[in-house]
Amino acid sequence: MRIKVIEGKCAGHARCAAVAPDIFELDDNGYIGPEDKIVAPGDEAKAQRGVRACPERALVIVDE
Ligand code: F3S
C-alpha cells in the first residue's frame, strides 16, 4: 500500500502519527514529510486508521 501526502494540506495535527508513528513520521515542526509512505504488508489497517484520523484530509491511499 502507498499513501500520498497532499501538498500544503498538513496542518500539524499529528493524529496520523498518534495512530501509526512508524508510518507517519513528523518533522521537527510537527508536519508530515512530503514523500509517499510505503506501508508494509500487515500494517494496512493501522495505516488506514491514520489516514482517516487526519482532519485536513492530507493523506490519501493511492495504491491498495
Ligand atoms: Fe498533518 Fe493530518 Fe497528520 S494535519 S500531522 S497529516 S493528522
Side-chain angles (χ1 to χ4, degrees), residues 5-45:
V5 179
I6 309 284
E7 192 181 344
K9 277 216 162 190
C10 177
H13 293 290
R15 295 190 195 171
C16 56
V19 172
D22 47 337
I23 299 169
F24 303 106
E25 288 184 27
L26 306 185
D27 65 19
D28 291 344
N29 296 315
Y31 291 85
I32 197 149
E35 70 283 350
D36 288 2
K37 316 302 172 199
I38 308 301
V39 179
D43 280 350
E44 288 95 345

